[in-house]
Amino acid sequence: MDLNVKVKEKMTGTLSLGGGYSSVDKLMAIAEISQGNLGGRGQLLKFKVQWGKTRKLYMASFMEPYLFDKPIWGRVDVYRQDTDYDGYSLKTEGFGLSMGKSFTEYVSASLRYAYDTSDYIQKSGQTLPFLVQQQITAYGKQLLRTSSVTASVARDSRDFYLDPKTGSRNSVSFTYAGGPLGGDPEFTKETADSAWYFPLFWDTVVMVRGRFGYAGSLIDKPLP
């Protein structure tokens, strides 16, 4: 049998604009621009900005889907987040290096190294909250450096990850910070996340999600 296939390549760049309101951020705007096939090599380049009254986030990401000519993806994230609290503001800057692999149609695993700095800036004429004062006293400084590694395993059976209507996504992760990795705090964190999608009527979908996490300090100092 001879088959004639006609292929039409679609546009791979996207621009997304959005907004919302929350009790924390008040009015919020989100802008994201991405190129999903950079240079025709299937690489992803993305820039994201989230701007609210309380929180401002800037992030740039690059992903290689076939790292070292192997079926392993690699990703680099660089970010900065400014958060405004009562009595102080928190400026966080950092980067993340990730790599992962799919083992079956649904199951994948990833490993991520992250390093960031968190700087507490006291507002003029205001007092720092007790827990923040306690943390600064314990570490002896206001700028904290966190170095961590996170291992994750996920099973994702959603029919379409951008707009799913059926299936589920279940994941577990383990984070270790400090020790030989350096940084100021030393802790472990475990997280389990499960989300299930159920189609109803008129293209309406209900998603039920549960998340559980636990973190504990490995030294006689509080968690950041």
Side-chain angles (χ1 to χ4, degrees), residues 146-215:
T146 302
S147 180
S148 65
V149 169
T150 301
S152 303
V153 177
R155 186 184 188 277
D156 191 346
S157 62
R158 294 175 296 178
D159 57 342
F160 182 40
Y161 77 99
L162 290 177
D163 185 20
K165 292 180 172 55
T166 62
S168 65
R169 187 183 191 280
N170 304 279
S171 64
V172 292
S173 66
F174 174 80
T175 300
Y176 174 83
L181 298 175
D184 298 309
E186 297 185 27
F187 62 87
T188 60
K189 181 172 67 174
E190 300 80 38
T191 305
D193 194 315
S194 181
W196 297 76
Y197 297 80
F198 303 95
L200 296 181
F201 43 83
W202 302 328
D203 287 333
T204 303
V205 179
V206 170
M207 187 266 281
V208 179
R209 181 182 181 185
R211 188 181 186 196
F212 176 81
Y214 176 82

